Amino acid sequence: MSGPKSIGPVRIRLRTPPAAAGLLWIRRGLRAFLRRPGGFMGLFGLVLLALLMVAMTSPLVEMAAMALMPLLSLGFMVATEDLLNDLAVRPRAFWAPVARDAAARRALLNIGLVYLATFLLMYFFGDRLDGGEAKAWMQAIATPRPDGSMPEPPPISGLGMFVLLLKTFGLALVSIPLWHAPALVHWGGQRAAQAMFSSIVALWRTRAAFGVYLLGWCAIGSLFIFTLFLLAAAFGGLQMAVVLMTPVSWALSAVFYVTLWFGFADTFEITAAGGSGARAG
């Protein structure tokens, strides 16, 4: 419900959906995406354009912009709720959460700063440990050869592999308190610390469904990569395969962000404190 500038007191009840609900979130997200594919892909295109513009500025600005990343998922959730309420999918979905009130803006900013601080800690601490070996290794395997084929993975030391795992684990760990936190600020009126704690509790309570949800997306990602390599073999190079699969990648990214709303709505029942008017779920 992105319209009101502020919300009154609400009551939040935590649900425990069955494990199979994880796949249902993906299916519902895909169904919602197919109702307005152009709208959702347009939203994701705006995000890509914004990231490109930021990347053309200084590295300092690029890093600072990461504090806005929680607004990406929240914006798609607002747009998905708008769609379910038979409203248009519009870019204003990214602005609605920060336009609500000053308290919500502060809470969302604090959540973004937690994400930024964790990223910087993993980035600088990891590079300090291995001298940037893990970062160079990632860049090397992600850079195609001139003929379009993927390079052979270069050797990496034990320390470099440790740092690579450390960065991955660190960012995955911080995603737990941040997963539902922006939505709990927007629909639940919670402050940053309370929202992050609620997110941790919610993911633990729904761990079976959330695990199935993640496995479902792993299967989709694996199928995408398998198809990419099949196309590369059929067309004799990775470049053509990437061109053919880019729209699919774009659409899948948008679908992923659409599914976030259904996981949130199935996990939390948010109603007005007086008992009337459901706000989520």
Side-chain angles (χ1 to χ4, degrees):
M1 294 186 178
S2 56
K5 293 292 183 181
S6 61
I7 61 174
V10 297
R11 180 183 296 110
I12 303 176
R13 185 173 72 88
L14 185 61
R15 296 166 172 160
T16 306
L23 294 180
L24 191 60
W25 301 342
I26 298 176
R27 190 176 72 178
R28 288 175 176 170
L30 178 59
R31 187 182 302 164
F33 170 82
L34 291 176
R35 287 178 59 182
R36 295 288 190 277
F40 285 116
M41 290 186 71
L43 285 186
F44 196 72
L46 287 177
V47 172
L48 294 178
L49 179 61
L51 292 176
L52 178 62
M53 294 176 64
V54 169
M56 296 171 63
T57 62
S58 67
L60 184 61
V61 173
E62 187 175 1
M63 285 188 177
M66 295 196 68
L68 300 176
M69 289 303 292
L71 288 178
L72 169 60
S73 59
L74 182 55
F76 266 89
M77 292 174 74
V78 170
T80 304
E81 190 198 29
D82 284 346
L83 173 74
L84 297 177
N85 289 329
D86 294 323
L87 301 175
V89 175
R90 294 174 292 181
R92 66 180 294 275
F94 292 120
W95 173 251
V98 296
R100 185 181 291 282
D101 56 47
R105 285 193 292 273
R106 285 195 299 270
L108 291 172
L109 176 61
N110 289 335
I111 291 171
L113 290 176
V114 169
Y115 182 86
L116 175 62
T118 305
F119 173 81
L120 293 177
L121 178 64
M122 294 295 104
Y123 183 88
F124 289 112
F125 180 68
D127 286 356
R128 190 74 177 268
L129 279 179
D130 69 352
E133 181 187 6
K135 180 174 66 176
W137 186 84
M138 287 294 296
Q139 292 173 343
I141 65 171
T143 305
R145 294 169 175 165
D147 61 358
S149 62
M150 294 303 294
E152 291 291 331
I156 185 171
S157 67
L159 180 59
M161 181 57 66
F162 170 77
V163 169
L164 190 64
L165 294 175
L166 178 66
K167 289 181 177 181
T168 303
F169 177 76
L171 292 177
L173 189 63
V174 77
S175 70
I176 295 175
L178 300 187
W179 192 267
H180 293 302
L184 286 168
V185 169
H186 184 65
W187 283 285
Q190 295 187 347
R191 298 300 173 254
Q194 184 185 11
M196 288 188 286
F197 177 76
S198 298
S199 180
I200 294 172
V201 174
L203 288 185
W204 175 253
R205 286 278 299 272
T206 62
R207 58 191 180 276
F210 188 69
V212 171
Y213 171 80
L214 294 180
L215 287 174
W217 275 110
C218 286
I220 293 172
S222 299
L223 179 62
F224 175 82
I225 293 174
F226 178 72
T227 305
L228 186 67
F229 279 104
L230 281 182
L231 290 174
F235 289 96
L238 186 63
Q239 289 178 332
M240 180 59 70
V242 169
V243 169
L244 292 173
M245 293 299 288
T246 294
V248 179
S249 174
W250 192 330
L252 284 178
S253 299
V255 171
F256 169 77
Y257 283 107
V258 172
T259 63
L260 297 179
W261 163 257
F262 296 97
F264 173 74
D266 210 19
T267 300
F268 297 95
E269 181 182 347
I270 303 178
T271 57
S276 61
R279 298 185 183 273

